[in-house]
Amino acid sequence: MIRIGLLGLGTVGQGVFEIVNERFLKTSNKEPIIITKVLVRDKSKKRSLQISDDLITENFDDIVNDKDIDIVVSVMGGMEPELTYIKRSLKAGKHVVTANKEIISRHIVDLLDLAKNNKVSLMFEAAVGGGIPIISSIIQILKTNKINRIQGILNGTTNYILTKITREKRQFDDVLKEAQKIGFAEADPTADIDGYDIMRKICILSSIAFKTVIDENNVHMRGIGNVTYEDIENAGKHGYIIKYLAQGLLHDDNKYSVSVTPILIKKASVISNVNEENNIILIQGDIIGEMCFIGKGAGKNATANAVVSDVLQVAAGINDYALLRFDSNALSCGIDGIQNEYYIRVSTENFDQFAKSIDIVYESVKKLKLSYSKGKIFFITEKIASSEMKNLYTKLTQCAHDVFYARMENNLM
Ligand code: NAP
Ligand code: HSE
């Protein structure tokens, strides 16, 4: 019998509880798995699943001090107290399975070391890509390949929002509320909208793939909070769709560039056609070439499935995460030198802002396409460096009401 202490009974925790009880509690051909304690913040809260009161506790000590618990499944969210609970569980000789990307992105090495020193496993498949088994796949690919590129849609909430605005012309805030209700969004959804969630996920994947710890401060990150239907409509007129892309590149000189930005991507590309809460992850290995993984990136069942898969690995005594290494010493070179065409929308409130914005763009970019409608100016630039685009954006935001920009990607799968 494998005994689990479950930390958190929200969207993911409930999914784990249901899968374990329905598929692994009473089983004749496998070792049964039982959830013996569940930690929540508020015991009195009404819950949509049937659970005995005796199982629930508000005191973590009831789990960490329970010698019979083998695995702690940690699906609470945020940094503290979950980080402390994970560390205490590992130190107490319990295996840990978590879906917390914030903790893993910042503490991947120290937690894996702590697990190793205490002869237990730490697994976190559910932290990236929801139900897509991406971390175990990267571990397999790395056995023979050097990985030099990871790209993808890694946030279900924002992909859901972009899909609904594009297809149904719905309002941003209205779709966000729906994504929160379904359980895709983080407890604080600004983590999804401003890019922190996707940044943490690309840090985890790039750290593993490039064998170096990616510092979150070295990620170029922009949110999608001010994208409008007009941006999507304009992109469409030029044959593009707006998506929110995470990218990690390892260059030949062992320097890396990691970014999280909105992009315009050709309608016919594979990425353009990954919609709603689905994620896509493209991986370039030097032997295997480009590989593509698509699946549900958020939500109760997909995420809980990834958590339970990790539990089964632990139960079977398999710990591929022990193969992870972070000693390549690759350094960040940022993205300043990377050249792209850009789509820019400048919203102005009067003629002065309108005229100044056009002057500013023409001062910086020689060749561009321009159109305008109701005080909004839409530009498509020639190829310019990312650093030039950043300067241009700073100048435009000082003079106009609202500015959105996104690089244009023509060569992605
Ligand atoms: P959630 O619905 O907000 O649930 C959080 C659960 O943790 C709740 O049961 C809450 O207790 C409990 N909790 C929170 N803080 C606590 C504390 N200080 N002490 C005790 N219990 C506490 O969150 P979720 O969506 O399931 O996400 C959980 C984790 O999985 C997060 O790290 C998230 O980033 C990650 N994740 C989520 C998804 C997804 O699609 N939702 C996908 C992948 C990864 P109460 O019920 O009493 O409030
Ligand atoms: N809030 C996250 C998302 C949950 O929308 O992708 C899955 O990690």
Side-chain angles (χ1 to χ4, degrees):
M1 176 90 78
I2 306 284
R3 289 182 175 79
I4 291 180
L6 180 60
L7 313 185
L9 194 61
T11 304
V12 183
Q14 291 193 23
V16 171
F17 189 84
E18 285 167 7
I19 298 175
V20 168
N21 285 328
E22 282 164 22
R23 304 240 164 141
F24 297 98
L25 184 57
K26 289 181 190 139
T27 159
S28 50
N29 56 352
K30 296 181 216 97
E31 195 170 0
I33 302 176
I34 180 167
I35 295 175
T36 56
K37 273 273 171 293
V38 180
L39 179 78
V40 294
R41 187 167 25 204
D42 177 6
K43 233 178 137 170
S44 66
K45 193 167 168 179
K46 280 215 163 133
R47 309 207 175 253
S48 56
L49 84 174
Q50 296 245 307
I51 179 165
S52 148
D53 268 358
D54 303 346
L55 278 188
I56 301 190
T57 178
E58 290 178 2
N59 185 357
F60 173 67
D61 288 347
D62 291 344
I63 291 177
V64 76
N65 294 334
D66 184 337
K67 297 241 169 329
D68 289 335
I69 289 179
D70 310 287
I71 306 175
V72 170
V73 168
S74 185
V75 286
M76 287 167 42
M79 187 57 77
E80 286 295 358
E82 194 169 353
L83 175 61
T84 301
Y85 293 171
I86 291 176
K87 285 183 178 171
R88 285 184 62 197
S89 303
L90 294 170
K91 284 181 190 162
K94 300 184 189 309
H95 306 282
V96 172
V97 171
T98 183
N100 189 316
K101 46 254 164 164
E102 188 173 351
I103 289 177
I104 296 302
S105 167
R106 294 219 197 127
H107 296 280
I108 190 165
V109 173
D110 42 302
L111 290 179
L112 282 167
D113 281 349
L114 193 58
K116 187 176 165 199
N117 294 340
N118 287 283
K119 299 188 173 53
V120 287
S121 304
L122 167 75
M123 301 186 78
F124 42 83
E125 185 63 80
V128 187
I132 305 171
I134 192 62
I135 292 175
S136 49
S137 300
I138 291 180
I139 294 172
Q140 288 307 316
I141 295 168
L142 280 174
K143 286 181 181 167
T144 44
N145 287 259
K146 182 174 179 186
I147 295 177
N148 50 33
R149 193 172 66 207
I150 299 187
Q151 294 164 309
I153 295 173
L154 293 179
N155 184 271
T157 303
T158 47
N159 203 36
Y160 190 79
I161 292 171
L162 289 173
T163 303
K164 295 289 176 186
I165 304 178
T166 305
R167 287 181 172 171
E168 299 167 21
K169 295 191 192 177
R170 285 179 51 197
Q171 294 296 314
F172 194 105
D173 289 344
D174 167 47
V175 189
L176 172 58
K177 274 191 199 125
E178 187 175 295
Q180 286 177 284
K181 207 167 158 199
I182 303 171
F184 300 152
E186 294 303 298
D188 173 4
T190 52
D192 298 293
I193 307 306
D194 292 345
Y196 292 96
D197 178 79
I198 185 169
M199 178 271 284
R200 289 163 185 148
K201 290 168 175 168
I202 192 68
C203 275
I204 295 172
L205 294 188
S206 302
S207 295
I208 293 174
F210 305 159
K211 303 184 181 179
T212 194
V213 177
I214 309 285
D215 185 330
E216 292 182 355
N217 295 314
N218 287 328
V219 180
H220 171 78
M221 178 179 83
R222 293 184 38 242
I224 60 147
N226 69 336
V227 69
T228 62
Y229 179 69
E230 278 156 319
D231 296 317
I232 289 167
E233 200 179 28
N234 257 286
K237 282 183 195 158
H238 294 279
Y240 291 84
I241 274 186
I242 298 183
K243 289 287 184 190
Y244 196 22
L245 192 88
Q247 178 165 277
L249 304 173
L250 183 64
H251 307 286
D252 290 342
D253 56 359
N254 205 31
K255 294 216 168 111
Y256 66 79
S257 315
V258 182
S259 64
V260 173
T261 58
I263 58 158
L264 265 66
I265 180 163
K266 288 273 183 201
K267 278 182 186 173
S269 75
V270 176
I271 294 180
S272 287
N273 292 288
V274 174
N275 288 310
E276 305 205 317
E277 78 273 29
N278 288 303
N279 283 190
I280 175 168
I281 302 151
L282 304 174
I283 299 204
Q284 176 78 36
D286 62 345
I287 299 174
I288 203 163
E290 187 140 69
M291 296 194 80
C292 172
F293 301 80
I294 298 178
K296 286 199 190 312
K300 178 173 140 182
N301 288 339
T303 313
N305 184 78
V307 171
V308 176
S309 301
D310 279 354
V311 168
L312 296 179
Q313 296 273 309
V314 174
I318 301 166
N319 183 14
D320 275 353
Y321 284 50
L323 300 171
L324 294 175
R325 295 286 174 271
F326 301 93
D327 52 5
S328 88
N329 297 322
L331 294 174
S332 167
C333 62
I335 61 153
D336 281 359
I338 299 177
Q339 298 244 337
N340 280 103
E341 292 172 305
Y342 285 90
Y343 161 84
I344 311 170
R345 186 250 310 146
V346 185
S347 299
T348 61
E349 286 177 318
N350 53 46
F351 182 74
D352 191 39
Q353 288 187 2
F354 186 89
K356 259 193 199 152
S357 301
I358 293 181
D359 283 350
I360 288 170
V361 178
Y362 268 107
E363 271 164 24
S364 309
V365 189
K366 287 196 183 73
K367 279 193 199 154
L368 42 80
K369 290 180 195 152
L370 178 154
S371 61
Y372 54 87
S373 161
K374 296 179 192 155
K376 296 188 177 75
I377 322 163
F378 306 98
F379 301 95
I380 289 184
T381 72
E382 63 182 328
K383 276 194 175 177
I384 57 173
S386 172
S387 55
E388 292 176 63
M389 184 61 237
K390 267 197 253 172
N391 290 338
L392 181 55
Y393 174 70
T394 307
K395 286 186 200 162
L396 285 169
T397 47
Q398 281 160 2
C399 117
H401 171 63
D402 184 43
V403 184
F404 171 79
Y405 75 93
R407 71 173 193 273
M408 301 175 72
E409 282 286 356
N410 297 315
N411 298 318
L412 282 181
M413 186 190 256

